[in-house]
Amino acid sequence: MTFRTIIEPFRIHSVAPLRMTTPAQRREAVIAAGYNLFGLHSDDVMIDLLTDSGTGAMSRDQWAAIQHGDESYAGSPSFEIFRNAVQELFPFKHVIPTHQGRAAEKIIFTAIGGAGKVIPSNTHFDTTRANIEYTGAGAVDLVIAQGRDPASEHPFKGNMDIAALDACLREHAGHVPAVFVTITNNSGGGQPVSLENLRQTSALCKQHGVPLFLDACRFAENAWFIREREPGQHDREVADIVREMARLADGMTMSAKKDPMGNIGGWLALNDDELAEQCRTLLILTEGFPTYGGLAGRDLEALAQGLKEVVDHDYLRYRIRSTDYLGQALLKSGVPVMRPIGGHAVYLDARSLLGHIPPLQYPGQALAVALYEAGGVRGCEIGTVMFGRHPDGSETAAAMDLVRLAIPRRTYTQSHIDYVIEVCQQVAADAHHLRGYRIVSEPRQLRHFTARFAPL
Ligand code: F0G
């Protein structure tokens, strides 16, 4: 017997209140925030889909693990428990804990970046790109062409364009210190990378003598997609697929605020002894001693437990199908959505929905603000606001103008999501009334976090 309804594979054990707000209250809040949703107080948000990063619910067993935390400065057993859990999935020789993903990025790019270097990826995440550019190096995105087309149904739209990577490695021979692959490809729509593509990328990197690193935040979701979509993978354990992905690489950066189910945490892992020593020295400068990095012993324990839970098939089936539930409902009601539906988020195609707003008037921003005002739903612009400003000061349209509705892990129920669907439908029906924005003030880098806007 099979049933259609996907049930959450958990019971709710502890709850936090949502504050109900009115459209008038939200309008006032968003004006005060300069129309930047990062500037809102989160208790003015009803359904917070800004990010799936650090916003998930921890399990009973993770909270219990927290009580095991050993807070010794050096040699904490909590570090060993953490390292063993990481190496069980990612058998890299050195595991260096950091307070979150970008701290791992800062360390590795300080070690390998610098002016004249080029670091290709399928698509760099914003902090990854910014950390590379901060060292003077160039960040290059080489995702396959289908990965830039919101309507393409390619099953692995996060794949690296192998020919383009080959050309890049030839053109910049001697100046590419590493190749990165982001799994799943967050900035490209949460789309997975196939095992086959990872194998080809790995072989090409070996041929050019360049190390391959995974930006592995959503590794379990990527592995689940491989299991579901890639020929010959359907009978495998997700943990086993993850280990194979890791073995194809020489190292990884990780934000443990995503698939490892933490509220904080990250790590850098790698095989190269010399580079690891250099990174540990940098770690001590900015994060902490190598057996805790930027974390408390209790955080390391919670992450070790989270790593066990995230590769559970019942969890992943629920996770991917419930994101799909939101995406399919929007597609059915004619709201343009990036396809196929990603793992951690549904990406609304604002450029297509708001065809009357040119990219440099930020259609993604307009849509994100409208969703907030209408229903208290906070999403995140991933488009020209986030990626349009370049290190030389110029501004161009990003490849796509999307609004990401990221689903925190184990946090919202199906009725919350049904409400989000209604809010999106209502805003989409009135989309032709929405207007663009101009930027009133912005910082030099990472402007999307703090820029202030005014409606046109
Ligand atoms: N890499 C990817 C692919 C990410 O999605 C993120 C964070 C990071 C690196 C940086 O990790 O936040 O722990 O420092 N993404 C979050 C998001 C913020 O909302 O997608 P961090």
Side-chain angles (χ1 to χ4, degrees), residues 77-99:
S78 298
F79 173 66
E80 276 175 48
I81 287 169
F82 166 78
R83 187 187 52 200
N84 293 346
V86 172
Q87 286 175 334
E88 174 70 22
L89 292 170
F90 304 98
F92 295 114
K93 197 167 162 194
H94 303 281
V95 178
I96 300 173
T98 59
H99 79 275

Side-chain angles (χ1 to χ4, degrees), residues 38 49-54 98-105 123-128 131 181-187 215-218 253-258 263-267 344 347 380 382 386 404 406 449:
F38 282 99
L49 309 183
L50 183 67
T51 179
D52 63 322
S53 180
T98 59
H99 79 275
Q100 59 183 81
R102 67 198 70 183
E105 292 163 5
T123 311
H124 290 288
F125 182 63
D126 61 352
T127 59
T128 321
N131 268 303
V181 176
T182 311
I183 55 172
T184 56
N185 192 24
N186 183 10
S187 307
D215 176 345
C217 307
R218 300 178 180 87
T253 55
M254 173 62 101
S255 169
K257 301 169 73 171
K258 282 86 171 178
N263 297 129
I264 194 72
W267 68 82
H344 67 295
Y347 293 69
C380 181
I382 299 204
M386 190 180 271
R404 184 184 71 171
F449 291 124

Side-chain angles (χ1 to χ4, degrees), residues 101-171:
R102 67 198 70 183
E105 292 163 5
K106 171 77 180 162
I107 289 170
I108 187 72
F109 296 126
T110 301
I112 67 173
K117 305 273 178 66
V118 171
I119 299 171
S121 174
N122 47 352
T123 311
H124 290 288
F125 182 63
D126 61 352
T127 59
T128 321
R129 168 172 288 277
N131 268 303
I132 291 169
E133 289 173 350
Y134 191 77
T135 72
V140 186
D141 293 340
L142 300 175
V143 74
I144 56 170
Q146 294 92 326
R148 297 177 204 268
D149 171 9
S152 156
E153 284 285 358
H154 192 288
F156 291 103
K157 284 171 81 170
N159 279 356
M160 182 79 87
D161 181 334
I162 300 293
L165 178 62
D166 190 32
C168 176
L169 290 169
R170 280 173 205 280
E171 184 187 343

Side-chain angles (χ1 to χ4, degrees), residues 339-400:
R339 300 204 311 250
I341 306 306
H344 67 295
V346 174
Y347 293 69
L348 308 180
D349 184 354
R351 190 175 291 174
S352 157
L353 182 65
L354 305 181
H356 60 290
I357 302 180
L360 292 181
Q361 294 177 11
Y362 316 122
Q365 191 67 21
L367 181 58
V369 170
L371 293 173
Y372 173 71
E373 282 191 23
V377 175
R378 174 159 70 169
C380 181
E381 193 264 9
I382 299 204
T384 303
V385 175
M386 190 180 271
F387 294 115
R389 179 71 74 202
H390 307 292
D392 65 3
S394 62
E395 188 183 30
T396 55
M400 299 186 268

Side-chain angles (χ1 to χ4, degrees), residues 411-430:
T411 303
Y412 292 114
T413 63
Q414 187 169 333
S415 55
H416 289 121
I417 298 300
D418 285 334
Y419 171 81
V420 172
I421 293 166
E422 271 190 70
V423 172
C424 291
Q425 286 168 337
Q426 209 180 85
V427 169
D430 267 346

Side-chain angles (χ1 to χ4, degrees), residues 3-13 57 312-323 325-326 407-418:
F3 296 98
R4 205 171 46 82
T5 307
I6 320 148
I7 62 167
E8 289 83 0
F10 48 78
R11 286 176 296 175
I12 294 167
H13 174 67
D312 178 74
H313 289 193
D314 288 338
Y315 163 73
L316 282 168
R317 185 175 296 112
Y318 141 78
R319 170 73 175 160
I320 300 300
R321 283 193 58 195
S322 53
T323 306
Y325 173 83
L326 170 58
I407 318 294
R409 291 169 184 75
R410 306 186 292 203
T411 303
Y412 292 114
T413 63
Q414 187 169 333
S415 55
H416 289 121
I417 298 300
D418 285 334

